[in-house]
Amino acid sequence: MADKKPLQEIPEIDLSSYAVDPQVIKLVPAILAQKHLVLPLFKVGNTLTVAMADPKDIVAMDELRSAIKMDVSTVKAGMPDIQDAITEHYGIAGVVDAVIKDYRPPEGAMARVATAVDAPVMKLVDVIINQAVRERASDIHIEPEVGDVRVRYRVDGLLHEELKLPVHMLAPVVTRIKVLASMNIAESRIPQDGRFEIDQAGKKVDLRISSLPSSHGEKVVMRILDKSAMVYKLAEIGFSPENLEKFQKIIHKPHGIVLVTGPTGSGKTTTLYSALSEVNSKELNIITVEDPIEYELPGVTQSQVNVKAGLTFASALRSILRQDPNVILIGEIRDLETASIAIQSSLTGHLVFSTLHTNDAPGALTRLIDMGVEPFLISSSVEAVLAQRLVRTICKKCLEKIAVPDNLKKQFPDIKHLCRGKGCKACKETGYRGRIGIFELLLPDENIRKMVTDKASADEISRYAVEHGMKTLYDDGIEKVKAGVTTLDEVLRVTELDKV
């Protein structure tokens, strides 16, 4: 019996607070749930009640009744909520399998173009991206192998395999992504870059695409940037009270260079944005040049590097200096020209923030010398160097206290227990959820400035700084282990030290 209720009488529910019976989920095949965006809720007698974004979809209702051999009653729910619930209850692998079964490769001369707009392929790419955003992934890797295609997400800094696709799905998936990113779908022999934006549940998400030819086909990596994500306050990203006070004093100076160092993915941009938000005011003109612009900063003029058009960090920085700035953020110092302009800017009354790729804070000073910057210019302009890493934090939902192991009692004589995550659904059984920074803050005094001028090594500068109170990345990490924020294994992993 068809559901005869007028649309205005169909009730609407909030799926985010609705508990669905797992046994009822099994009544509707995943392929139908995904195809028509239908979520089974409960069964009374021979009638199944389902949530739909469009209860007027008669075709979907007829197909559903035919498949399950039951009467169907409907309630209305938001489309994003239904999509999330379908993935949650059926699992992404089940949803993807359903989509793939519905795929029929197009034929003819325009097959490649037709593939890109084929409904199952479009849905498959949407599912992969949306699930990655829901899992807080920073990157999606689509990797062809000998017998299949591996899809991995980078979550909290580590890659994990999410699903596998059959080999015949590689070409249509890559083609669809290339179309979205305005890349050349006819060219698969050379690397390409592109980008596109999606709107997921009201959030603007920017995706930066990179394709790379490999022996088994094109590999695609998608970097996910949530442009609507909030900018953290400095006090929220992991600074110890001591380092926070010191860093806040430095970033309120009227001029000089503040460098943040660390490998790719260590949270440097987040720290710089937090610092800019801290100093931002109506009295200051703040301008950035970035590659890419990761977050929108209200009240800040942000410019994007465009190498093809001739807009490099160095050329953009020269133009910025004609815009009467007080504070400048340079996404990265990559060459001598950019470094020289940045230093001259700091010496002429500007506060300059930037990043370098070095392993520790003292290494940034010697790295600038290696680039060709005169040591006396470095010693007179650099006000602070902050090295950082991101460590995974223990999942709060499965955190448990454990006794300090015997081999660590000498290292932790003042505490009775450590913490770890047992593993649960919320953290995908990893024991970790979220990340926080560990920091090494170097504030050059007169002796360090003299050591830089004399071209002392990074090791010599580091030894002196530690002797005079600088906490290393490892030291800061151990403080977070003692506080129950992370684990010793995690600190050792990101600081690349041998296990105790």
Side-chain angles (χ1 to χ4, degrees):
M1 181 75 64
D3 194 335
K4 298 295 186 181
K5 289 179 292 185
L7 181 60
Q8 59 268 25
E9 295 181 11
I10 295 177
E12 186 166 355
I13 66 169
D14 179 7
L15 285 178
S16 63
S17 59
Y18 193 93
V20 180
D21 184 348
Q23 296 303 315
V24 174
I25 289 291
K26 296 178 182 178
L27 297 175
V28 177
I31 188 168
L32 277 182
Q34 179 61 39
K35 180 179 180 180
H36 297 301
L37 291 180
V38 173
L39 182 73
L41 298 178
F42 58 88
K43 175 178 175 287
V44 177
N46 196 46
T47 300
L48 178 68
T49 297
V50 300
M52 297 180 68
D54 181 13
K56 295 187 299 182
D57 191 340
I58 298 173
V59 174
M61 294 287 292
D62 287 344
E63 187 172 347
L64 185 59
R65 278 192 295 270
S66 175
I68 67 175
K69 311 300 181 187
M70 296 172 63
D71 290 335
V72 177
S73 178
T74 60
V75 296
K76 183 175 173 60
M79 184 179 295
D81 291 340
I82 291 179
Q83 289 174 326
D84 287 348
I86 288 173
T87 303
E88 176 185 351
H89 294 290
Y90 287 96
I92 186 172
V95 172
V96 166
D97 286 345
V99 173
I100 291 173
K101 288 177 183 176
D102 203 32
Y103 173 64
R104 298 291 181 271
E107 299 179 357
M110 297 299 289
R112 188 188 299 270
V113 176
T115 292
V117 295
D118 188 85
V121 176
M122 293 169 64
K123 193 167 288 185
L124 176 58
V125 172
D126 287 347
V127 167
I128 291 172
I129 293 173
N130 290 335
Q131 180 67 8
V133 174
R134 280 191 288 268
E135 289 194 19
R136 305 172 294 107
S138 61
D139 301 88
I140 304 169
H141 290 236
I142 299 174
E143 305 166 318
E145 298 181 313
V146 175
D148 51 34
V149 179
R150 181 170 61 170
V151 178
R152 293 194 291 172
Y153 295 163
R154 186 178 296 279
V155 179
D156 292 336
L158 296 181
L159 283 167
H160 73 265
E161 185 175 301
E162 187 69 20
L163 68 142
K164 285 185 180 291
L165 302 176
V167 171
H168 73 269
M169 293 305 299
L170 176 65
V173 166
V174 171
T175 298
R176 173 61 184 166
I177 293 169
K178 283 185 171 182
V179 167
L180 289 171
S182 300
M183 297 159 68
N184 184 354
I185 64 173
E187 179 57 79
S188 60
R189 299 166 298 174
I190 59 174
Q192 293 188 62
D193 296 304
R195 59 178 289 185
F196 63 93
E197 186 176 87
I198 63 170
D199 189 324
Q200 192 199 49
K203 292 196 306 182
K204 295 292 184 183
V205 179
D206 201 23
L207 291 106
R208 308 298 170 100
I209 315 302
S210 172
S211 69
L212 181 71
S214 76
S215 56
H216 300 298
E218 282 186 279
K219 173 178 177 176
V220 171
V221 174
M222 295 185 273
R223 168 62 56 90
I224 302 171
L225 301 173
D226 183 357
K227 305 194 90 170
S228 63
M230 68 175 184
V231 175
Y232 294 98
K233 295 180 180 179
L234 283 175
E236 299 172 336
I237 62 177
F239 277 111
S240 66
E242 179 185 0
N243 277 344
L244 177 61
E245 182 180 359
K246 291 177 180 177
F247 192 67
Q248 284 176 324
K249 286 182 180 179
I250 289 295
I251 64 175
H252 282 93
K253 287 195 170 188
H255 54 79
I257 294 184
V258 177
L259 295 172
V260 180
T261 76
T264 300
S266 60
K268 300 187 296 295
T269 300
T270 298
T271 299
L272 286 174
Y273 280 5
S274 299
L276 286 186
S277 295
E278 180 107 356
V279 302
N280 193 10
S281 72
K282 293 180 180 179
E283 290 75 34
L284 295 179
N285 179 21
I286 302 176
I287 305 179
T288 76
V289 52
E290 308 170 57
D291 185 22
I293 296 173
E294 295 193 16
Y295 306 105
E296 301 292 343
L297 294 174
V300 175
T301 302
Q302 297 173 264
S303 55
Q304 166 81 47
V305 165
N306 187 339
V307 177
K308 290 181 180 178
L311 185 64
T312 63
F313 279 114
S315 62
L317 186 51
R318 280 193 293 268
S319 298
I320 284 174
L321 292 174
R322 295 192 289 271
Q323 292 284 315
D324 187 32
N326 300 103
V327 180
I328 301 169
L329 184 150
I330 308 167
E332 183 183 347
I333 294 178
R334 297 177 178 174
D335 51 44
L336 175 59
E337 183 180 14
T338 306
S340 299
I341 300 172
I343 286 175
Q344 290 300 327
S345 301
S346 72
L347 294 174
T348 54
H350 303 90
L351 180 62
V352 180
F353 294 97
S354 192
T355 70
L356 275 175
H357 287 281
T358 61
N359 290 327
D360 57 14
L365 302 174
T366 54
R367 174 77 180 106
L368 290 173
I369 294 175
D370 292 341
M371 282 185 176
V373 180
E374 291 292 341
F376 75 90
L377 292 175
I378 300 169
S379 63
S380 59
S381 62
V382 176
E383 294 293 337
V385 184
L386 181 73
Q388 68 178 76
R389 299 289 190 278
L390 293 174
V391 294
R392 292 179 294 169
T393 52
I394 298 171
C395 176
K396 293 179 180 178
K397 292 191 176 181
C398 62
L399 182 146
E400 65 176 358
K401 295 179 180 179
I402 59 172
V404 179
D406 291 339
N407 64 321
L408 298 179
K409 286 183 177 178
K410 288 184 179 180
Q411 187 173 359
F412 301 102
D414 53 338
I415 59 174
K416 296 181 180 180
H417 65 262
L418 297 174
C419 294
R420 71 178 180 188
K422 290 188 296 184
C424 65
K425 182 179 178 181
C427 62
K428 287 207 158 187
E429 307 300 332
T430 63
Y432 298 97
R433 183 173 174 85
R435 290 190 292 176
I436 198 168
I438 58 175
F439 300 95
E440 177 179 290
L441 180 60
L442 175 65
L443 302 176
D445 60 14
E446 289 305 314
N447 287 325
I448 290 179
R449 295 184 190 281
K450 186 176 185 305
M451 294 173 76
V452 172
T453 303
D454 293 340
K455 296 186 179 181
S457 68
D459 287 340
E460 291 173 307
I461 296 173
S462 181
R463 280 194 295 269
Y464 172 87
V466 170
E467 289 170 2
H468 289 78
M470 183 186 79
K471 287 187 177 180
T472 65
L473 289 164
Y474 176 78
D475 295 334
D476 195 43
I478 291 300
E479 292 301 314
K480 289 178 173 63
V481 172
K482 292 180 179 180
V485 174
T486 189
T487 64
L488 180 60
D489 283 347
E490 183 67 4
V491 171
L492 293 171
R493 179 183 70 84
V494 301
T495 56
E496 301 175 349
L497 296 175
D498 294 331
K499 292 194 175 184
V500 179

